[in-house]
Amino acid sequence: MRTALLQSSGRPGSVAANLKALDEAAARASAAGAGLLVAPEMYLTGYAIGDDVARLAEPADGASAAAIAETAARHGVAVAYGYPEREGEAVFNSVQLIGPDGVSLANYRKTHLFGCFERDSFTSGEQAVVQAELGGLRIGLMICYDVEFPENVRAHALAGTDLLLVPTAQMHPFQFVAESVVPVRAFENQMYVAYVNRVGKEGEFEFVGLSTLAGPDGVARTRAGREEQLVFADADPAFLAASREANPYLRDRRPGLYSSLI
């Protein structure tokens, strides 16, 4: 499945502008033959927007979700996007996956919150593995810091995730995560990992870009630079099956030795 990675910080604070830009990216992705478009963490509203996080938070089935569903259906491309999700008084850092028919396939709430800003702004999610079926692949969802916990990604591997989507807001000086950690996660868990970052300065943060889709051989299929870009790569089920057959990591595990991890 051809996958489009939208590396962009959009326009922080302007949901309308970001919805428009997402629609334009979906049109470009569809024209390039992509079946899936992935946008970064908190793409809908912006990341470093202070108290506006709570003000702009929406339910998973809110007005913006309806607009993105219409975009997905009109262009025939699935869309995964980061946004602040409101449920009652709680606000979650979430990612929603909407299918090419405009139907919501999955919604995930970030389980590992990074730094004081996130811990002050969001409630932690409690479901580690969220998946959906799309284009012959089992899609898993995570957000940014979540992928830096090896147990988290291994849980997805054991649940059969083929392509792990990781909208992110990766900032300086942690670019080694995009460059090194993500390809290793893909290799050691025998899956594709799409890591899609924000870019440029936003508030006190400088996002480093470097979005990538890494394969189960640990090789980056595409790598964005440090500017706004839409890049493409393929997640190939046949290659994934062959790689899993050749690599014995998951078969050679000895879970009885790892009880101290929990």
Side-chain angles (χ1 to χ4, degrees):
M1 180 169 60
R2 173 146 291 191
T3 302
L5 315 183
L6 176 59
Q7 178 168 285
S8 173
S9 288
R11 187 185 299 174
S14 177
V15 172
N18 295 330
L19 287 172
K20 183 176 184 294
L22 191 65
D23 183 81
E24 293 169 353
R28 292 170 59 197
S30 179
L36 171 63
L37 169 67
V38 187
E41 179 177 7
M42 293 286 285
Y43 177 79
L44 183 64
T45 60
Y47 182 89
I49 57 173
D51 293 340
D52 279 349
V53 167
R55 182 179 67 83
L56 296 175
E58 297 184 25
D61 60 354
S64 293
I68 294 170
E70 193 276 334
T71 286
R74 181 156 38 83
H75 297 296
V77 60
V79 178
Y81 66 99
Y83 73 109
E85 178 193 356
R86 177 171 294 284
E87 183 178 71
E89 295 301 311
V91 176
F92 300 90
N93 184 338
S94 296
V95 55
Q96 183 157 206
L97 174 63
I98 294 178
D101 57 357
V103 174
S104 177
L105 299 177
N107 190 74
Y108 169 79
R109 296 166 172 175
K110 189 173 185 177
T111 54
H112 298 76
L113 300 179
F114 178 79
C116 295
F117 166 69
E118 289 194 8
R119 289 191 288 269
D120 290 344
S121 300
F122 301 108
T123 298
S124 296
E126 295 297 331
Q127 186 174 354
V129 177
V130 173
Q131 298 170 308
E133 302 295 326
L134 178 68
L137 295 170
R138 183 168 295 178
I139 308 296
L141 300 176
M142 275 189 185
I143 299 174
C144 198
Y145 194 39
D146 291 328
V147 81
E148 298 177 39
F149 293 81
E151 304 91 338
N152 226 27
V153 186
R154 180 52 54 86
H156 268 274
L158 296 176
T161 291
D162 299 316
L163 171 59
L164 183 63
L165 309 184
V166 190
T168 190
Q170 182 64 66
M171 56 199 70
H172 178 80
F174 305 112
Q175 51 265 28
F176 65 88
V177 174
E179 294 169 337
S180 301
V181 174
V182 168
V184 169
R185 288 286 178 271
F187 177 69
E188 68 190 2
N189 291 289
Q190 288 299 290
M191 62 174 61
Y192 288 95
V193 179
Y195 188 79
V196 187
N197 201 9
R198 305 179 69 81
V199 66
K201 290 188 176 180
E202 189 178 330
E204 63 183 289
F205 306 112
E206 181 184 350
F207 300 114
V208 300
L210 303 176
S211 299
T212 188
L213 192 150
D217 53 359
V219 175
R221 299 301 192 272
T222 188
R223 171 83 69 187
R226 301 292 186 101
E227 64 281 339
E228 294 207 352
Q229 287 180 266
L230 184 67
V231 297
F232 299 86
D234 294 327
D236 181 356
F239 182 85
L240 179 59
S243 182
R244 286 172 170 173
E245 182 62 30
N247 188 308
Y249 275 155
L250 298 182
R251 295 194 300 273
D252 288 350
R253 292 172 64 253
R254 297 180 62 192
L257 300 179
Y258 316 143
S259 59
S260 62
L261 292 177
I262 57 172

